[in-house]
């Protein structure tokens, strides 16, 4: 056996190949013949620099067990330095090989029987189902006598869907066993750890003994991952593609070699992508065992939906008492439908019930229903009663249909109905506490041949402050395409002007009801229900363009149907205007208008900037519009005089004011305007943009267009035929996106007339009163400014992956988006992104209106103004601080303020949420793992302080 200590030179290659052929013929197995032929070819190209070593399992290098691993105790530690394999480990390896050898020998005996295929070639029964592909970057050693092949350095083998990689791989053809092991470099570092990959499973070990025939394996010091779960085991046995058994192992979601936490168990079973089951189990943190033992452990690691209990979290509030929140059950009914049931229970007797069924069929439809019942019982120190009680509800439903499911048909729903006090009793949601406007809509639409459209809808809106609810159903709308009666079916050349004459049709029917929720009853609903209809026939002609002006004449015919007449009169006893009579019936009103519209566009540019200037040009677009129209007075008979007093309360100084009101005020579609209109309507729109030279973006020659003002202008009209108030109020508007960062919108209404002390207009222009020049009074307006800033991502690749994951997610319904947004607003610390060092969001809103008083005695101005902000920044690489708030500028006080502090603990996360200002004062402290599989394993401390 001296040749085992020498290097094989190339002169032995041919001899070894013929020897391999001889043995393969002797074995009488074409499969063996092919295998050894490939081995010989590979050997012919291998290097002759590696000495041949006896392929014994005793030479398998072993890395010492890490302190953080769960290993077998070594009794004879003195021999570890002299022998890389301890005696007990070597004995175990011998037992493992003996067991596999006995199994292989038994199969060998059975293989004496031969199988003959249809070509007359005798095939051995133990022939492998597929060829074995193998390679190595260093060398290959073939022992013909023992029928083994050993690959060194970067060794790889592939059999069917199983891939094995290691520094050293030894293949025993007679027993169909592969042994993989690692080695150490001169610095003592581990090189070439064995790794086996099959299907979606990956195992990395110190040593792998793999049976090619049965595809079973036994490994030592193994590491594998299944979903978010990482498994470390001292010994692991692979019994199938999906099932593993482990001895002395640990579960964790931490991906470090020394995990921050783990669950320790002596016996466990892992079914890939399904579950992990263990015997008696206990946790440890930073290697320190925690004396909390469970008789068994069950970890569901499968993806998708699964029924199960929803654990609660503990909370405490001085007003609600001690409570459990979120206790419930999640039930999967089928592939398209599931139900979530939760409840909140408090020691003072209050409770909440949440019932949320969800349905979704991909490429068809999706939706969610959420019904909440709150039985509130809070402790109070005001009044005679010790507790304040209330019963409120909320109903939310959203439904969307994929546009490709049924082309031409669509159904959508967004229902949001709640008791007026519901939002006030919701804990841990300062944004929802101040939400007083609710709205709903359900719509079905059908289109025929892409021309005719039918829409049926129901709408609802309510104000939680005034407790007024408006309900509209049914709303039917039908529209037909514009018909060109004089257009030829087949025409050649340019069309005549009369061939562009088009006639359209639009019809709608609507019913509705308005009531206060405190006075709601079914009988009152039937008595006050009203309906109406509106029909419109527009006739238009698009004349050929002559020069820069586009001319478009048109005629509009309208008809409205009403279900009642309203009679109002001033009551001196109550000092207000009351409805004295409602007459039900079917009433109609008509209206007609003739118009001639002129429009054009004027372009201007300025480019005389220096060569070194970043600004290269300014572009200005002016779009003037002018319309001449005439409308006869067809609705004057539906108006009457209403005289109301104003001023001092005594009869001697009290004066009166007469105004025109309609019998159809407050109806579904409202009345047509009174009086003859014969005049002009005018408007002017402006658009500004600049061209700048970008040093970073080289596309289009480095020239980039930036809009400065998207639109700014005004609109108004002048009625030549009116006997008074000929000039209408002038409407101004502004839209802009400055530097692609700051969004600005604004509008205002200018009244050109002076007013009396009660706010009623007088037929005198503001510039005619002789008290200095004035264009009029601003009666209403609004301004909204918002911007958002954030720093660049520290890891651009990670940010791209996050954005890609968001795009790959299944689109959520509107209700799901709103629910998620509310949770994020309430718990911002749980959704921090440390990859973005800082973010800042600012918004300002101002709105004012001049409305008539309820008693018709004059006008009053309502002003609302607010400033909102939110943002966060990284205090360190592991600490982030965030804040969001709402400041009422009109009341000059902070209405809501929330703070968030987050600590990144690698595989865990700590979050602190505090709301010191708001309807509900709130404090929350949470420590929880990041992995979704352990989302319910958290330490939570929550306290509420409710302001009544």
């Amino acid at each position: 056996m001296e040749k085992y200590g020498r290097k094989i030179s190339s002169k032995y290659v041919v001899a070894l190949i013929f020897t391999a052929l001889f043995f393969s013929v002797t074995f009488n197995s074409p499969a063996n013949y092919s295998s050894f032929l490939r081995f010989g070819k590979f050997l012919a190209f291998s290097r002759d620099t590696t000495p041949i070593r006896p392929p014994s399992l005793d030479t398998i290098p072993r890395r010492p067990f890490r302190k953080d691993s769960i290993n077998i105790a070594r009794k004879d530690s003195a021999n570890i330095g002299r022998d890389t394999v301890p005696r007990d480990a070597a004995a175990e390896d011998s037992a493992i090989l003996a067991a596999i050898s006995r199994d292989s020998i038994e199969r060998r005996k059975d293989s004496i029987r031969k199988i003959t295929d249809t070509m007359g070639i005798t095939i051995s029964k133990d022939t492998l189902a597929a060829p074995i592909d193998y390679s190595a970057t260093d060398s290959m050693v073939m022992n013909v006598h023992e029928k083994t092949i050993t690959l060194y350095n970067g060794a790889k083998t592939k059999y069917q869907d199983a891939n094995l990689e290691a520094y050293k791989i030894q293949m025993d053809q007679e027993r169909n066993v592969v042994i993989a092991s690692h080695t150490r470099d001169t610095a003592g570092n581990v090189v070439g750890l064995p790794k086996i990959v099959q299907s979606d499973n990956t195992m990395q070990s110190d040593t792998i003994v793999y049976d090619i025939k049965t595809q079973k394996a036994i490994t030592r010091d193994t590491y594998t991952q299944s979903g978010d779960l990482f498994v470390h085991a001292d010994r692991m046995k692979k019994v199938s593609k999906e099932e593993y058994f482990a001895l002395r192992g640990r579960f964790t979601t931490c991906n470090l070699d020394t995990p921050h936490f783990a669950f320790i168990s002596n016996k466990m079973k892992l079914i890939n992508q399904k579950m992990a089951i263990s015997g008696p189990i206990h946790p440890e943190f930073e290697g320190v065992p925690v004396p909390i033992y469970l008789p068994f452990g069950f970890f569901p690691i499968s993806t998708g939906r699964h029924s199960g209990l929803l654990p609660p979290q503990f909370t405490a509030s001085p007003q609600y008492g001690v409570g459990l929140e979120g206790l419930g059950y999640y039930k999967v009914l089928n592939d398209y439908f599931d139900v979530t049931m939760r409840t909140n229970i408090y020691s003072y007797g209050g409770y909440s019930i949440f019932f949320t069924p969800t349905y979704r069929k991909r490429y068809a439809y999706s939706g969610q229903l959420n019904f909440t019942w709150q039985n509130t019982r809070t402790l109070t120190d005001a009044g005679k009663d010790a507790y304040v009680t209330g019963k409120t509800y909320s109903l939310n439903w959203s439904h969307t249909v994929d546009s490709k499911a049924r082309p031409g048909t669509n159904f959508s729903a967004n229902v949001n109905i709640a008791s007026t006090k519901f939002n006030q009793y919701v804990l841990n949601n300062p944004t929802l506490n101040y939400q007083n406007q609710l709205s709903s809509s359900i719509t079905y639409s059908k289109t025929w041949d892409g021309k005719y459209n039918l829409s049926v809808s129901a709408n609802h809106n309510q104000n939680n402050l005034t407790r007024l609810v408006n309900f509209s159903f049914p709303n039917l709308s039908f529209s037909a395409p514009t018909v060109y009666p004089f257009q030829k079916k087949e025409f050649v050349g340019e069309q005549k002007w009369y061939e562009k004459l088009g006639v359209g049709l639009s019809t709608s029917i609507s019913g509705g009801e308005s009531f206060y929720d405190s006075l709601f009853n079914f009988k009152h609903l039937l008595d006050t229900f009203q309906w109406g209809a509106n029909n419109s026939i527009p006739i238009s002609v698009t004349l050929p363009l002559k020069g820069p002006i586009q001319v478009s004449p048109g005629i509009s015919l309208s008809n409205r149907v009403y279900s009642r007449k309203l009679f109002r009169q001033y009551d001196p006893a109550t000092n207000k205007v009351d409805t004295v009579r409602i007459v039900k019936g079917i009433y109609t009103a008509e209206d007609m208008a003739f118009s001639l519209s002129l429009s054009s566009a004027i372009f201007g540019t300025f480019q005389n900037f220096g060569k070194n200037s970043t600004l290269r040009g300014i572009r200005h677009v002016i779009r003037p519009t002018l319309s001449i129209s005439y409308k006869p007075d067809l609705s004057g008979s539906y108006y009457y005089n209403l005289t109301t007093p104003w001023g001092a309360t005594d009869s001697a100084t009290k004066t009166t004011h007469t105004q025109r009101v309609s019998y159809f005020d407050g109806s579904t579609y409202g009345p047509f305007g009174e009086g003859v209109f014969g005049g002009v309507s005018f408007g002017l729109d402006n658009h500004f943009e600049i061209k700048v030279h970008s040093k970073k973006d080289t596309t289009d020659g480095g020239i980039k267009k930036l809009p400065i003002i998207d639109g700014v202008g005004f609109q108004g009209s002048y009625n030549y035929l009116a006997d008074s108030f000929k000039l209408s109020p002038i409407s101004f508007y502004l839209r802009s996106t400055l530097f692609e960062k700051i969004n600005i919108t604004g509008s205002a209404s200018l009244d050109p007339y002076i007013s009396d002390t009660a706010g009623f207009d007088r037929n005198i222009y503001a510039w005619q009163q002789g008290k200095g020049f004035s264009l009029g009074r601003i009666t209403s307006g609004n301004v909204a400014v918002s911007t958002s800033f954030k720093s660049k991502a520290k890891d651009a690749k990670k940010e791209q992956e996050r954005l890609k994951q968001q795009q790959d997610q299944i689109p959520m319904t509107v209700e799901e988006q709103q629910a998620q947004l509310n949770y994020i607003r309430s718990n911002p610390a749980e959704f921090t992104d440390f990859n973005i060092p800082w973010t800042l969001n600012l918004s300002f809103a101002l709105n004012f209106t001049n409305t008539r008083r309820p008693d018709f005695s004059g006008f009053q101005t309502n002003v609302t103004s607010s400033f909102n902000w939110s943002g966060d920044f990284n205090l360190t690489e592991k600490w982030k601080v965030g804040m969001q708030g709402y400041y009422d500028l009109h009341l000059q006080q902070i209405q809501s303020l929330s703070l968030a502090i987050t600590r990144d603990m690698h595989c865990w996360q700590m979050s602190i949420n505090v709301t010191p200002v708001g309807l509900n004062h709130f404090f929350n402290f949470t420590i929880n793992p990041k992995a979704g599989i352990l989302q319910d394993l958290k330490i939570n401390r929550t306290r509420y302080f409710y302001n009544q």
Side-chain angles (χ1 to χ4, degrees):
M1 302 296 291
E2 294 180 351
K3 64 180 180 179
Y4 285 113
R6 302 196 306 268
K7 298 181 180 178
I8 298 179
S9 61
S10 58
K11 66 181 181 179
Y12 293 104
V13 173
V14 177
L16 290 175
I17 293 176
F18 281 101
T19 304
L21 293 177
F22 173 79
F23 275 98
S24 63
V25 173
T26 305
F27 297 151
N28 195 22
S29 173
N32 295 340
Y33 172 82
S34 302
S35 300
F36 275 94
L37 182 60
R38 291 197 299 271
F39 296 161
K41 291 181 179 180
F42 184 84
L43 182 61
F45 295 95
S46 62
R47 297 167 55 186
D48 296 332
T49 60
T50 303
I52 298 179
R53 304 174 177 85
S56 174
L57 185 61
D58 294 336
T59 62
I60 297 176
R62 185 183 313 278
R63 42 175 186 157
F65 288 95
R66 301 184 302 270
K67 294 182 180 180
D68 58 296
S69 301
I70 303 172
N71 305 302
I72 298 176
R74 307 303 187 191
K75 297 181 180 180
D76 190 4
S77 59
N79 294 330
I80 296 179
R82 297 188 299 271
D83 191 353
T84 58
V85 180
R87 296 177 180 178
D88 56 348
E92 291 181 7
D93 291 339
S94 301
I96 292 171
L97 291 177
I100 296 178
S101 177
R102 289 193 300 270
D103 185 59
S104 301
I105 293 173
E106 294 297 330
R107 292 198 310 269
R108 185 69 179 174
K109 292 179 180 179
D110 295 338
S111 65
I112 297 176
R113 294 171 295 178
K114 304 297 188 298
I115 301 175
T116 304
D117 64 2
T118 56
M119 300 299 294
I121 300 175
T122 303
I123 300 176
S124 176
K125 183 181 178 181
D126 61 352
T127 301
L128 298 178
I132 300 176
D133 297 326
Y134 51 89
S135 63
T137 59
D138 193 319
S139 59
M140 181 190 74
V141 176
M142 181 176 62
N143 189 324
V144 179
H145 177 71
E146 297 184 4
K147 303 170 187 175
T148 61
I149 299 175
T150 305
L151 307 175
Y152 290 95
N153 200 1
K156 297 181 182 179
T157 62
K158 180 178 180 181
Y159 176 70
Q160 292 183 339
D161 62 340
N163 294 272
L164 179 62
E165 300 179 6
Y167 170 80
K168 175 184 176 182
I169 297 179
Q170 185 182 59
M171 296 182 292
D172 190 325
Q173 186 184 18
E174 185 175 6
R175 295 179 298 173
N176 290 326
V177 173
V178 173
I179 303 173
S181 59
H182 66 277
T183 189
R184 291 181 179 273
D185 58 15
T186 55
N189 298 321
V190 176
V191 179
L193 280 175
K195 182 174 70 173
I196 183 171
V197 180
Q198 187 172 20
S199 299
D200 296 331
N201 307 329
T202 301
M203 288 196 308
Q204 185 171 290
S205 310
D206 278 1
T207 304
I208 296 179
V209 180
Y210 181 74
D211 190 313
I212 302 176
K213 196 73 173 181
T214 62
Q215 298 192 23
K216 296 180 180 181
I218 296 179
T219 64
R220 177 184 289 109
D221 196 9
T222 302
Y223 164 85
T224 185
Q225 179 181 1
S226 181
D228 293 333
L229 193 65
F230 298 93
V231 180
H232 298 255
D234 190 15
R235 295 286 189 273
M236 183 170 285
K237 181 178 181 181
K238 175 180 177 292
V239 297
S240 67
K241 291 183 179 180
E242 307 294 339
E243 296 184 2
Y244 302 84
F245 289 92
L247 179 67
R248 290 182 290 275
R250 66 186 175 192
F251 296 102
T252 182
T253 57
C254 183
N255 60 355
L256 297 179
D257 288 341
T258 304
H260 293 104
F261 78 103
F263 295 93
I264 310 302
S265 178
N266 286 332
K267 297 180 180 180
M268 63 180 68
K269 179 180 181 180
L270 177 68
I271 303 178
N272 189 50
Q273 301 298 331
K274 288 187 178 181
M275 68 184 72
I277 306 171
S278 71
I281 189 171
H282 70 279
E284 73 171 17
F285 291 90
E286 297 290 350
V288 179
V290 178
I292 300 176
Y293 286 83
L294 297 176
F296 64 91
F298 178 79
F299 301 85
I301 56 178
S302 58
T303 58
R305 305 174 303 156
H306 301 278
S307 301
L309 291 173
L310 301 175
Q313 66 178 19
F314 176 81
T315 184
S317 171
Q319 286 76 26
Y320 288 81
V322 179
L324 294 177
E325 294 182 343
L327 176 64
Y329 188 81
Y330 174 74
K331 177 62 178 178
V332 178
L333 300 178
N334 52 43
D335 293 338
Y336 312 108
F337 195 80
D338 56 60
V339 178
T340 303
M341 294 167 285
R342 288 182 180 269
T343 182
N344 300 338
I345 305 174
Y346 305 98
S347 60
Y348 289 168
Y351 63 87
S352 300
I353 299 175
F354 305 89
F355 179 74
T356 308
T358 304
Y359 53 92
R360 174 173 294 166
K361 186 175 182 180
R362 183 168 290 189
Y363 310 118
Y365 55 82
S366 63
Q368 183 183 71
L369 177 70
N370 184 19
F371 176 77
T372 303
W373 174 264
Q374 288 185 152
N375 185 13
T376 305
R377 183 179 171 87
T378 60
L379 185 65
T380 180
D381 54 1
K384 298 180 180 180
D385 298 331
Y387 296 95
V388 174
T389 61
K391 296 181 179 180
T392 57
Y393 69 90
S394 172
L395 177 64
N396 309 107
W397 176 43
S398 63
H399 180 89
T400 57
V401 176
D402 194 313
S403 58
K404 299 179 182 179
R406 299 182 63 184
T409 302
N410 184 44
F411 177 77
S412 63
N414 184 19
V415 178
N416 189 11
I417 302 174
S419 302
T420 54
K421 294 287 186 178
F422 178 85
N423 290 346
Q424 297 183 21
Y425 292 141
V426 175
L427 297 176
N428 188 20
N429 197 330
T431 304
L432 190 62
N433 295 149
Y434 291 96
Q435 182 178 346
N436 296 312
Q437 298 289 339
L438 302 178
S439 61
S440 307
S441 65
I442 302 175
T443 305
Y444 170 82
S445 62
K446 173 69 176 179
T447 303
W448 290 273
D449 301 329
K451 299 179 180 180
Y452 303 95
N453 180 266
L454 173 66
S455 176
V456 182
S457 65
N459 300 302
H460 146 269
N461 66 79
Q462 69 183 72
N463 189 314
N464 290 341
L465 292 178
T466 62
R467 308 187 71 174
L468 179 63
V469 180
N470 299 313
F471 179 74
S472 176
F473 176 80
N475 301 319
L476 287 83
S477 177
F478 176 79
S479 62
T482 302
V483 178
Y484 300 91
F486 303 107
Q487 187 179 77
K488 298 179 182 179
K489 294 183 178 179
E490 298 180 1
F491 58 88
V492 179
E494 186 177 356
Q495 288 182 287
K496 304 296 183 180
W497 67 268
Y498 56 84
E499 294 180 345
K500 297 182 179 181
L501 176 67
V503 181
L505 173 64
S506 177
T507 300
S508 60
I509 302 174
S510 179
E513 178 66 55
S514 296
F515 56 89
Y516 291 94
D517 63 345
S518 59
L519 302 176
F520 172 76
N521 61 72
F522 189 72
K523 183 178 182 302
H524 177 76
L525 182 66
L526 294 178
D527 291 340
T528 58
F529 181 82
Q530 60 172 318
W531 60 273
N534 184 49
N535 304 291
S536 178
I537 302 177
I539 303 174
S540 61
V541 178
T542 303
L543 298 180
L545 184 64
K546 298 297 183 181
I549 300 177
Q550 178 71 51
V551 181
S552 301
I555 302 175
S556 177
L557 305 176
S558 300
N559 168 268
R560 291 178 183 174
V561 181
Y562 306 96
S563 62
R564 69 178 187 180
K565 276 187 176 182
L566 187 68
F567 295 85
R568 290 171 293 178
Q569 185 177 348
Y570 174 73
D571 186 358
T574 60
N575 194 27
K576 66 178 183 179
V577 177
D578 290 332
T579 300
V580 296
R581 187 164 47 118
I582 296 177
V583 180
K584 294 185 177 181
I586 299 178
Y587 308 95
T588 61
E590 291 75 27
D591 194 31
M592 179 183 295
F594 304 89
S595 64
L596 179 66
S597 301
L598 307 176
S599 61
S600 182
I602 303 173
F603 301 88
T605 58
F606 182 79
Q607 299 179 345
N608 295 331
F609 296 94
K611 295 182 179 180
N612 299 326
S613 176
T614 305
L615 182 62
R616 295 302 176 89
I618 301 177
R619 188 170 185 261
H620 181 201
V621 182
I622 305 174
R623 293 185 175 89
T625 58
L626 180 66
S627 175
I628 304 173
S629 58
Y630 171 77
K631 184 184 78 69
D633 184 11
L634 302 180
S635 304
S637 59
Y638 302 117
Y639 282 79
Y640 62 96
N641 292 329
L642 177 63
T643 302
T644 58
W646 63 276
T649 57
D650 60 288
S651 59
T653 59
K654 182 180 293 186
T655 60
T656 59
H657 179 81
T658 301
Q659 51 190 316
R660 299 283 290 177
V661 295
S662 174
Y663 296 114
F664 303 128
D665 284 339
S667 61
T668 304
Y669 291 99
F672 289 114
E674 183 188 18
V676 178
F677 181 88
V680 296
S681 300
F682 51 87
L684 184 68
D685 181 75
N686 296 268
H687 175 80
F688 296 88
E689 67 179 15
I690 61 175
K691 290 183 179 180
V692 296
H693 183 267
S694 177
K695 297 180 180 180
K696 298 180 180 180
D697 190 358
T698 58
T699 57
D700 298 330
I703 301 300
K704 188 176 182 180
K705 296 181 180 180
L706 296 177
I708 299 300
I709 299 179
D710 298 322
V712 57
F714 62 89
Q715 296 175 345
S717 62
Y718 188 86
N719 187 3
Y720 287 97
L721 301 181
D723 56 356
S724 60
F725 302 105
K726 293 185 177 182
L727 182 62
S728 70
I730 309 300
S731 300
F732 295 88
Y733 62 89
L734 169 67
R735 304 184 309 274
S736 177
T737 304
L738 295 178
F739 315 111
E740 299 182 334
K741 286 291 184 181
I742 304 175
N743 299 317
I744 304 175
T745 59
S747 64
S749 179
L750 176 68
D751 190 345
Y753 302 96
I754 65 173
S755 62
D756 54 25
T757 56
F760 293 99
D761 285 344
R762 299 176 59 189
N763 191 25
I764 301 175
Y765 292 116
W767 54 85
Q768 295 178 342
Q769 60 181 340
K771 297 181 180 180
F773 181 77
S774 175
L775 291 177
R777 298 176 294 113
I778 301 295
T779 57
S780 64
N782 65 81
V783 177
V785 182
S786 63
T787 184
S788 178
F789 303 96
K790 69 176 182 178
S791 63
K792 293 183 179 180
K794 294 188 294 185
D795 189 344
K797 184 177 180 181
K798 184 178 180 180
E799 179 67 10
Q800 292 177 358
E801 292 178 354
R802 185 185 67 85
L803 296 176
K804 184 178 179 181
Q805 290 178 357
Q806 291 180 350
Q807 296 175 355
D808 295 339
Q809 290 180 353
I810 299 176
M812 294 187 298
T813 62
V814 176
E815 182 58 34
E816 289 175 331
Q817 293 177 359
Q818 187 62 38
Q820 187 181 68
L821 182 61
N822 290 335
Y823 186 82
I824 293 174
R825 287 174 175 173
S826 304
N827 304 274
E830 297 183 18
F831 298 89
T832 55
D833 186 0
F834 285 88
N835 195 37
I836 306 296
W838 61 268
T839 61
L840 179 63
N841 303 303
L842 303 173
S843 65
F844 167 78
L846 171 65
N847 184 30
F848 65 95
T849 57
N850 191 22
T851 59
R852 181 176 295 175
R853 293 191 180 98
D855 59 358
F856 287 79
S857 62
F859 293 83
Q860 60 186 7
T861 301
N862 301 320
V863 180
T864 59
S865 179
S866 64
F867 176 71
N868 295 267
W869 72 91
S870 65
D872 55 49
F873 65 94
N874 289 356
L875 195 61
T876 65
E877 291 186 357
K878 300 296 183 180
W879 286 92
K880 181 180 282 288
V881 179
M883 178 190 298
Q884 62 178 356
Y886 165 72
Y887 182 79
D888 192 321
L889 295 173
H890 182 64
L891 299 177
Q892 296 184 359
Q893 65 180 3
I894 297 177
Q895 298 289 351
S896 175
L897 178 65
S898 298
L899 305 175
I901 302 175
T902 306
R903 173 67 163 89
D904 185 4
M905 305 170 65
H906 187 256
C907 51
W908 285 64
Q909 179 172 284
M910 182 190 72
S911 61
I912 301 175
N913 298 286
V914 183
T915 303
V917 180
L919 183 63
N920 290 324
H921 298 179
F922 163 74
F923 172 81
N924 172 264
F925 175 81
T926 303
I927 297 180
N928 61 284
K930 292 181 179 179
I933 187 176
L934 300 177
Q935 61 181 349
D936 296 321
L937 179 65
K938 59 184 176 181
I939 302 174
N940 178 271
R941 175 60 171 168
T942 304
R943 297 202 67 177
Y944 301 100
F945 305 91
Y946 178 69
N947 291 337
Q948 302 190 22

